[in-house]
Amino acid sequence: MEISFKQVSYTYQPNTPFEHRAINDLSMDISSGSFTAIIGHTGSGKSTLIQHLNGLLRPSSGKVNIGSYQLHAEAKLKGIKELRSKVGIVFQYPEHQLFEETVFKDIAFGPSNFGVDREEVGGRVDQALQAVQLPEELLDRSPFELSGGQMRRVAIAGVLAVQPELLVLDEPTAGLDPKGQKEMMNMFHQLHKQKGLTTILVTHSMEDALAYADHVIILNKGEKYLEGKPEDVFTRQQDLQKVQLDVPEVIQFITNVKDRFQVDLSYHGQTIKELAEELAAIVKGENRYE
Amino acid sequence: MNNAFIIGQYVPGESIVHRLDPRTKMIIIFMFVIVVFFANSIWSYGLLTVFSLLCALTTRIHFSYILKGLTPVWFLIVFTLLLHLIVTKEGEVLFRIFSYPIYSGAVAQGAAISLRFFLLIMVTSLLTLTTTPIEITDAIESLLQPLKKIRFPVHELALMMSISLRFIPTLMQETEKISKAQASRGVDFRTGTAKERIQAVVPLLVPLFISAFKRAEELAMAMEARGYQGGEGRTKLRELKTDRLDIIVYALFAFVVILLFVIRD
Amino acid sequence: MGKNVMKFQNVWFRYGEDLPWVLQDVSFEISASEWVAVIGHNGSGKSTIAKLMNGLLFPQKGNILINGLEVNEETIWDVRKQVGMVFQNPDNQFVGTTVRDDVAFGLENRGIPREEMIRRLKSSLAAVRMEDYELQEPHRLSGGQKQRVAIAGVLAVSPQIIILDEATAMLDPNGRKEIMQTVKTVKERDDVSLVTITHDLNEVTLADRVLVMNEGKVWMEAPPKNVFAKRDELKEIGLDIPFVTKLAAELTDRNIFLKTEPLNHDELLEELWRFHLNR
């Protein structure tokens, strides 16, 4: 699903003393099938931005195109339900939205709302459950008896069962332990590749953005601050520091080595093993730049 | 946060009325509510009206803002007036509307009742406009102290009120969050038949309740960890003080009441 | 290290009679002004340990001593004066309607006179650098600020031991930095013992000692360097190791032998530089 924002601004509670402009003159393009990471501090406009993707908010000015749908200030979108069936949003702590008596019913809730027939819903629930790597035995259990990690997976399955073309993830690993975080991100990466989704990941983790995204957008105070390929954006250390964002640890470390050893070492997507190889050459004095 | 406008919502300020002990305000308003019913002449109503308007002026809150806060009750006031005009048949016929007679007694009574109603609501709204909810809670706790003797849980009631106040914004944010999540899953809160709309509320209410219970449980644990073991032996940071200003205000109000009884018929 | 302020002696705990043991024969000690990090994957029993530490739960078997005082129904209120606790969710531990009311809550509970209360309130808010927010309402604060207020609330009652039970888990990176900075300052100022229960590896490297929990048992108890040296074993029990440790291991495989286990960039660079000069 192709997405474009053209000079989009959004103001909360306009014409009141509480007026607050959350997004300002933002333009960006996200190509179909890409994995985009959106990064910024709390209050940088990230959550306002993602609410434009399925029409929960309409821009105060400017235009948002999502596939063949357009949102703008002048009029409500007629096919909003259709749009929402194509855009799945996994909100922060998605397990807080569970409410049905059984896991099956909760996962089936979305597809049923969007008018999928009953026979098909069953199949979709099974698929979604598989996608989030949960066993079938859970289907008849109450979602509230499950562990925190399982509950989150059920909630995510509920979004996947609608079979969206665009999947928006708002800090999907918050509150999980490191192992759980890694499993969760790997799961989304797999889904992204298998189903040919367009994925947007809102995150604070530079490491995740570097590991999974092919496109990074950095927001600051409601405006687009930097945009590009992860290896290009994250090597602009000074620009990132200006807005108090860290660079991923690998890149930070490479910069430190460069300064200390005065060698020409750069980040080009190497793994830890490859980096160790390069470092070994440097400290053993095999580096040709010395 | 879209709590743009709430009736009687506290307006921060430094006026005399703001600075009064909340207990003073509550006691005077309570008395005022009783006293209003003793007014029975133009002069006595005039006195109470002047007193109320003076109070409103002293708050230094824009009068238009105070009136705006009364919007929902305007309907009731006008309705009361109309009802009297139609039903009451005392005195002489003043004029006719489409041959329907309007009596002088009806006008007088209708006006009196509506005015009474208006004064009551306005003066009461001055309390919430100039007093933070937590001050009101403190005042209630303090005023209800005597009930402790009959084992009425005064401290618990006050604590309950203050915790509710603390969590209202949190729960409002949560409601917004969950309703957005469910809307993304295809729930339509705005259209559909009455039955469909009621059904649409279930996916909102269930998660809200579950989260509220979880919060309550965690809060209880945090309170216990911080040494909370009931009202016994507790000291208080927030204190209420009745000072000279309050005494002057009491005296002034007493004077108004005495005057009222002198000039009423 | 000084005398021990906390002692777990063969502690067993489970949430119900027909439920499995959450803690099995757990024993350890914490010394005065020591910083101990407790790690372990979800469900390893870490949070249960925190709740046992100030009598929110009681063990079925074994003893817990705080400054020599056994934690039980009779002593909990004394214990809670000495053990302060900051929880995970910033919202669900904020009791007051304003910052100052919240900090005062613990003092009010202990019947501290008002003048003393105000003095302590000011000084603990200053310690967490929240003195400018005294009259602020909680919903206008960030998560990190709320947690700082929670720390101030704990400081105000001047405990000897402060437990942070995943207190940074729900915060963004800036919030985490704020809290760790605050904790360091506070530790220096008040010379307290700290127990941080955490997943954050950077927090672990700051501790004097690490307690690794696995399936309800103490799996290892050692300084961070020694713990992270066991990278393969840690991986097996579902724990991660910091980037620097991973890189150091890869370097060792390439015959670059480091004298000590580095915990941060500077230490690793120093080691590499030394190797470079002596090659």
Side-chain angles (χ1 to χ4, degrees):
Chain A
M1 226 178 190
E2 205 97 17
I3 296 154
S4 80
F5 276 54
K6 291 202 181 84
Q7 296 176 317
V8 172
S9 298
Y10 187 85
T11 309
Y12 284 100
Q13 295 178 284
N15 309 321
T16 69
F18 310 100
E19 185 173 292
H20 167 62
R21 177 164 279 209
I23 297 188
N24 192 19
D25 198 27
L26 180 86
S27 297
M28 62 171 196
D29 291 293
I30 291 172
S31 54
S32 189
S34 68
F35 196 122
T36 303
I38 297 182
I39 299 175
H41 291 298
T42 313
S44 61
K46 289 174 298 179
S47 60
T48 309
L49 187 154
I50 60 170
Q51 290 179 45
H52 282 83
L53 295 170
N54 73 346
L56 286 172
L57 296 178
R58 260 191 301 146
S60 307
S61 69
K63 288 189 171 69
V64 177
N65 286 303
I66 304 129
S68 56
Y69 304 89
Q70 188 177 67
L71 296 168
H72 47 84
E74 288 77 38
K76 272 191 185 166
L77 176 68
K78 290 217 177 75
I80 198 140
K81 206 158 174 180
E82 213 178 288
L83 170 64
R84 286 184 188 162
S85 73
K86 295 186 175 163
V87 179
I89 302 189
V90 175
F91 285 96
Q92 262 184 62
Y93 299 98
E95 59 273 23
H96 292 173
Q97 73 196 32
L98 298 173
F99 73 100
E100 282 283 13
E101 297 144 59
T102 66
V103 170
F104 180 91
K105 281 189 183 172
D106 216 296
I107 300 178
F109 181 66
S112 314
N113 282 333
F114 289 116
V116 175
D117 2 334
R118 213 167 252 220
E119 296 95 77
E120 205 195 321
V121 168
R124 287 207 186 183
V125 171
D126 289 340
Q127 271 183 27
L129 198 72
Q130 232 170 32
V132 297
Q133 295 151 18
L134 288 178
E136 254 178 66
E137 296 91 84
L138 294 186
L139 282 178
D140 298 324
R141 299 259 300 272
S142 157
F144 302 107
E145 293 169 1
L146 308 180
S147 75
Q150 285 174 324
M151 278 168 81
R152 181 161 305 181
R153 278 163 192 260
V154 170
I156 291 167
V159 174
L160 295 177
V162 181
Q163 301 191 337
E165 295 169 35
L166 168 66
L167 186 61
V168 183
L169 310 168
D170 188 0
E171 292 184 51
T173 62
L176 298 178
D177 64 9
K179 195 178 165 211
Q181 294 188 357
K182 212 171 200 171
E183 285 170 0
M184 187 68 72
M185 281 316 299
N186 285 335
M187 180 189 96
F188 284 125
H189 197 223
Q190 244 183 338
L191 278 170
H192 172 77
K193 285 186 294 187
Q194 274 171 10
K195 315 228 159 173
L197 297 171
T198 307
T199 305
I200 295 180
L201 169 71
V202 174
T203 183
H204 285 301
S205 163
M206 302 292 165
E207 318 296 329
D208 282 350
L210 186 64
Y212 301 102
D214 47 39
H215 183 192
V216 174
I217 294 171
I218 301 210
L219 291 185
N220 185 47
K221 294 181 183 155
E223 299 186 4
K224 187 171 77 182
Y225 182 67
L226 288 176
E227 182 179 13
K229 285 186 188 155
E231 55 269 33
D232 296 337
V233 169
F234 288 135
T235 40
R236 296 172 68 172
Q237 198 165 357
Q238 282 174 341
D239 290 327
L240 289 170
Q241 264 165 3
K242 263 187 225 155
V243 294
Q244 282 101 46
L245 285 171
D246 292 329
V247 299
E249 200 170 359
V250 197
I251 294 175
Q252 177 70 56
F253 184 74
I254 287 175
T255 313
N256 291 348
V257 173
K258 242 160 67 180
D259 292 350
R260 186 73 191 254
F261 287 82
Q262 296 295 316
V263 288
D264 187 19
L265 180 68
S266 65
Y267 179 73
H268 49 81
Q270 63 267 60
T271 60
I272 285 197
K273 280 190 202 299
E274 290 160 355
L275 177 61
E277 205 67 53
E278 288 173 71
L279 273 178
I282 291 170
V283 294
K284 285 177 183 163
E286 293 160 7
N287 195 292
R288 60 197 162 93
Y289 295 101
E290 211 181 341
Chain B
M1 274 157 275
N2 37 12
N3 43 341
F5 187 72
I6 294 172
I7 304 149
Q9 194 183 12
Y10 175 66
V11 181
E14 287 289 316
S15 77
I16 294 175
V17 185
H18 280 87
R19 291 203 317 264
L20 277 179
D21 185 330
R23 289 173 298 186
T24 310
K25 288 187 253 188
M26 288 179 82
I27 290 172
I28 288 183
I29 286 168
F30 182 72
M31 308 278 277
F32 183 84
V33 169
I34 296 170
V35 163
V36 164
F37 290 94
F38 287 95
N40 60 357
S41 65
I42 286 211
W43 291 110
S44 51
Y45 272 114
L47 176 69
L48 291 179
T49 310
V50 169
F51 172 76
S52 311
L53 292 179
L54 276 177
C55 287
L57 274 179
T58 335
T59 62
R60 299 218 192 127
I61 298 170
H62 247 271
F63 197 63
S64 64
Y65 187 83
I66 300 177
L67 289 184
K68 220 160 101 191
L70 299 179
T71 318
V73 290
W74 276 123
F75 168 76
L76 272 175
I77 293 172
V78 174
F79 181 74
T80 318
L81 183 64
L82 284 179
L83 200 72
H84 272 278
L85 290 184
I86 295 166
V87 176
T88 313
K89 296 196 164 46
E90 284 167 27
E92 55 210 72
V93 177
L94 276 184
F95 54 90
R96 288 171 184 275
I97 299 171
F98 300 120
S99 79
Y100 192 90
I102 301 293
Y103 294 86
S104 62
V107 173
Q109 266 189 39
I113 305 277
S114 299
L115 181 65
R116 197 183 275 172
F117 205 54
F118 169 75
L119 291 180
L120 283 178
I121 308 269
M122 188 184 77
V123 170
T124 329
S125 79
L126 290 183
L127 173 72
T128 53
L129 283 167
T130 63
T131 323
T132 59
I134 195 69
E135 278 179 317
I136 297 179
T137 308
D138 288 339
I140 291 175
E141 182 175 12
S142 164
L143 292 173
L144 292 183
Q145 275 315 314
L147 291 182
K148 256 191 168 166
K149 290 206 179 89
I150 57 162
R151 299 254 177 110
F152 185 82
V154 179
H155 162 75
E156 284 76 6
L157 182 77
L159 184 76
M160 223 165 68
M161 284 174 62
S162 85
I163 287 176
S164 309
L165 291 171
R166 145 75 186 90
F167 276 93
I168 285 171
T170 310
L171 290 176
M172 294 214 328
Q173 281 170 18
E174 183 126 337
T175 311
E176 199 183 324
K177 212 190 91 182
I178 296 173
S179 67
K180 282 188 167 160
Q182 305 298 31
S184 302
R185 295 214 280 164
V187 176
D188 193 345
F189 294 106
R190 297 220 176 86
T191 55
T193 63
K195 194 183 158 211
E196 281 169 344
R197 283 203 216 186
I198 292 170
Q199 277 174 342
V201 178
V202 176
L204 179 60
L205 282 186
V206 174
L208 261 181
F209 267 91
I210 289 171
S211 128
F213 277 115
K214 189 167 168 251
R215 282 186 196 282
E217 204 176 314
E218 286 185 15
L219 187 72
M221 185 179 291
M223 285 170 64
E224 204 185 317
R226 292 173 71 180
Y228 179 74
Q229 37 180 332
E232 219 44 53
R234 249 181 138 244
T235 45
K236 295 203 74 176
L237 173 68
R238 280 194 314 274
E239 59 175 6
L240 299 172
K241 264 204 196 114
T242 300
D243 58 20
R244 219 186 312 163
L245 182 66
D246 296 280
I247 293 167
I248 295 171
V249 171
Y250 278 122
L252 209 71
F253 182 68
F255 175 72
V256 171
V257 174
I258 293 166
L259 200 62
L260 176 84
F261 280 96
V262 171
I263 62 177
R264 76 193 280 268
D265 292 334
Chain C
M1 289 286 158
K3 66 175 181 66
N4 80 68
V5 287
M6 184 187 291
K7 196 169 184 180
F8 270 53
Q9 291 174 319
N10 311 95
V11 169
W12 291 70
F13 180 84
R14 59 182 168 190
Y15 285 93
E17 280 204 5
D18 42 358
L19 292 172
W21 291 103
V22 179
L23 294 180
Q24 299 176 41
D25 202 25
V26 169
S27 300
F28 62 88
E29 287 181 17
I30 291 171
S31 309
S33 50
E34 191 185 13
W35 183 339
V36 175
V38 182
I39 59 172
H41 62 85
N42 282 350
S44 61
K46 336 184 263 321
S47 279
T48 307
I49 290 190
K51 283 169 195 140
L52 287 164
M53 283 176 173
N54 71 348
L56 291 170
L57 298 173
F58 298 105
Q60 276 84 16
K61 283 189 244 172
N63 280 321
I64 296 159
L65 302 173
I66 305 290
N67 281 320
L69 185 71
E70 193 190 323
V71 181
N72 58 35
E73 295 280 1
E74 280 99 69
T75 59
I76 44 171
W77 302 112
D78 292 320
V79 164
R80 284 174 193 162
K81 273 181 206 159
Q82 295 168 45
V83 184
M85 193 151 163
V86 180
F87 296 87
Q88 181 178 12
N89 192 322
D91 260 319
N92 298 355
Q93 57 186 315
F94 205 113
V95 188
T97 42
T98 65
V99 167
R100 71 198 302 260
D101 286 318
D102 190 65
V103 176
F105 182 74
L107 300 168
E108 292 177 328
N109 291 336
R110 288 169 176 89
I112 310 279
R114 192 164 180 275
E115 289 70 45
E116 170 77 4
M117 209 176 326
I118 290 169
R119 201 182 57 70
R120 290 213 207 171
L121 184 105
K122 299 256 183 227
S123 97
S124 32
L125 277 175
V128 300
R129 290 175 297 116
M130 285 293 287
E131 60 270 54
D132 297 337
Y133 296 85
E134 242 191 86
L135 297 174
Q136 200 62 266
E137 292 170 356
H139 63 277
R140 303 199 185 283
L141 301 175
S142 71
Q145 288 173 328
K146 278 181 221 171
Q147 290 300 63
R148 266 150 64 191
V149 173
I151 294 175
V154 164
L155 283 182
V157 291
S158 46
Q160 255 190 304
I161 306 163
I162 297 179
I163 306 166
L164 303 182
D165 185 2
E166 298 197 42
T168 59
M170 294 180 75
L171 306 181
D172 63 10
N174 278 359
R176 287 181 190 202
K177 277 186 218 156
E178 259 171 56
I179 297 302
M180 288 332 284
Q181 198 50 53
T182 306
V183 166
K184 275 194 244 171
T185 329
V186 158
K187 191 167 182 307
E188 275 162 36
R189 191 191 85 141
D190 288 20
D191 196 29
V192 287
S193 306
L194 262 181
V195 180
T196 49
I197 291 164
T198 184
H199 288 307
D200 189 319
L201 297 171
N202 293 323
E203 286 176 27
V204 176
T205 58
L206 296 171
D208 301 315
R209 201 152 54 92
V210 185
L211 206 66
V212 185
M213 295 298 298
N214 187 43
E215 285 164 3
K217 290 182 187 138
V218 179
W219 185 83
M220 190 182 183
E221 205 185 333
K225 279 180 201 289
N226 307 16
V227 169
F228 290 135
K230 304 231 173 217
R231 48 198 157 250
D232 295 332
E233 292 93 325
L234 284 173
K235 223 177 199 169
E236 265 168 46
I237 62 166
L239 293 175
D240 205 4
I241 50 169
F243 167 79
V244 169
T245 319
K246 280 183 205 159
L247 188 58
E250 292 295 337
L251 287 166
T252 312
D253 288 348
R254 285 163 182 76
N255 294 323
I256 297 178
F257 298 103
L258 309 175
K259 261 196 197 155
T260 60
E261 183 75 43
L263 280 182
N264 53 42
H265 290 192
D266 286 344
E267 287 178 21
L268 178 54
L269 283 171
E270 205 49 56
E271 287 284 329
L272 287 175
W273 188 247
R274 195 186 47 76
F275 187 92
H276 183 64
L277 293 179
N278 298 339
R279 84 200 124 113

